[in-house]
Amino acid sequence: MMQIVFKHPEFMVPILILLSFSIICQVSMGVLCHKLIWESENMSSTANKSLQQLKLKFSSCCQLHEGMSNIAVFVDKYMNQLKICGFSLSVLKHLSGQLVLLSILISGIGACRGIIAGESILYIVPYYIISFLGLYCYFAISSLVDIVGKTQILRTNLIDYLENHLVNRLEQTTLDLKLVQGEERVQEKESARTETNVQAAEEMPETTQKASERPEDSVLSRTEAKELESLLREFLV
């Protein structure tokens, strides 16, 4: 049987390789989406770097713009940036379909060549069987993986967390910061008042000393004036 299937390895080997890569693309997308969905259900304690970067970016955008008006667009942009080996999910999905079509094309070319060469139907039928099995595996795995449904679930989880949980926490933290800053300003004003009062209390003895010294100076000047008057009177008499 294997000798019949691999009589023309230049056709069969590329067909099997293309089908294998198509299935790998489907499975890898399903694994990534399933992992992100599981992590998105525990966003507060997630260890996924991609989701942590999403939270940090969302928090910074909310702080810069004082709120996020369209969270759905933000989540869509994040999901468009999801990649596997440098390929986005949409590219991998289309690539998987193109690989299956390419394998069917090669299978058809091999079957046509066998018919032209006059080979028996026993060596031509394996091309059709592999083509049908490849199409069945592709659609079966794509339905089991359900990339569209998983991406929708992931999108719903992310929007729910950002809109109903993280936004409220950010608002609460901003209010707490404002309250803390207000209390710090009140404490600074009170400390400034106490410092001014202390300075005024320290300056009070100096002012009292100066005030007490001024009358003595005025008294001394009066006594000296009286003595001068008495001396002038004696001199004139």
Side-chain angles (χ1 to χ4, degrees):
M1 184 66 183
M2 296 300 293
Q3 292 178 356
I4 296 173
V5 173
F6 289 98
K7 183 179 180 180
H8 299 287
E10 67 274 11
F11 292 104
M12 285 298 177
V13 172
I15 290 169
L16 295 175
I17 290 172
L18 292 173
L19 289 174
S20 299
F21 276 113
S22 177
I23 293 170
I24 289 170
C25 290
Q26 292 283 337
V27 173
S28 61
M29 286 189 294
V31 170
L32 176 63
C33 291
H34 180 74
K35 184 178 180 181
L36 289 175
I37 289 170
W38 186 75
E39 291 287 343
S40 64
E41 292 177 354
N42 298 312
M43 284 286 288
S44 59
S45 62
T46 182
N48 189 278
K49 292 182 179 179
S50 179
L51 295 177
Q52 288 178 352
Q53 290 176 358
L54 173 68
K55 291 195 294 183
L56 291 173
K57 188 176 180 181
F58 182 80
S59 302
S60 61
C61 289
C62 287
Q63 291 175 359
L64 289 174
H65 301 288
E66 294 182 355
M68 183 69 69
S69 60
N70 200 343
I71 299 175
V73 175
F74 183 83
V75 173
D76 290 335
K77 289 176 67 177
Y78 164 76
M79 295 185 66
N80 291 330
Q81 293 175 356
L82 292 175
K83 293 182 180 181
I84 299 174
C85 298
F87 296 99
S88 62
L89 294 181
S90 61
V91 172
L92 283 176
K93 185 177 180 181
H94 294 298
L95 181 62
S96 177
Q98 293 298 321
L99 291 174
V100 171
L101 292 176
L102 186 58
S103 66
I104 293 171
L105 177 63
I106 295 172
S107 179
I109 293 170
C112 291
R113 182 182 177 183
I115 293 170
I116 292 169
E119 295 179 354
S120 64
I121 194 170
L122 189 64
Y123 295 101
I124 297 171
V125 169
Y127 293 107
Y128 294 101
I129 294 173
I130 290 174
S131 298
F132 287 126
L133 287 175
L135 287 172
Y136 174 77
C137 291
Y138 173 77
F139 288 109
I141 292 172
S142 62
S143 63
L144 288 173
V145 172
D146 192 13
I147 300 299
V148 177
K150 281 184 170 59
T151 52
Q152 188 63 35
I153 294 170
L154 177 62
R155 183 175 181 272
T156 303
N157 290 342
L158 293 176
I159 292 173
D160 176 65
Y161 175 75
L162 296 177
E163 188 173 358
N164 298 324
H165 296 84
L166 190 58
V167 171
N168 295 327
R169 290 180 183 177
L170 291 173
E171 291 178 354
Q172 186 64 36
T173 51
T174 52
L175 291 173
D176 294 337
L177 287 173
K178 289 180 180 179
L179 291 173
V180 171
Q181 290 176 356
E183 291 178 355
E184 289 179 352
R185 289 177 182 175
V186 170
Q187 291 178 357
E188 289 177 356
K189 289 180 180 180
E190 291 180 353
S191 63
R193 288 179 182 176
T194 53
E195 288 178 358
T196 53
N197 292 328
V198 170
Q199 290 178 357
E202 290 177 353
E203 290 176 354
M204 283 295 292
E206 294 179 356
T207 54
T208 52
Q209 288 178 1
K210 291 179 180 178
S212 62
E213 288 176 356
R214 286 176 183 175
E216 290 178 358
D217 294 337
S218 61
V219 171
L220 290 172
S221 61
R222 289 178 182 177
T223 53
E224 289 177 355
K226 289 180 180 179
E227 289 178 356
L228 288 172
E229 289 178 358
S230 62
L231 288 173
L232 288 172
R233 289 176 182 176
E234 289 177 358
F235 180 75
L236 291 173
V237 173

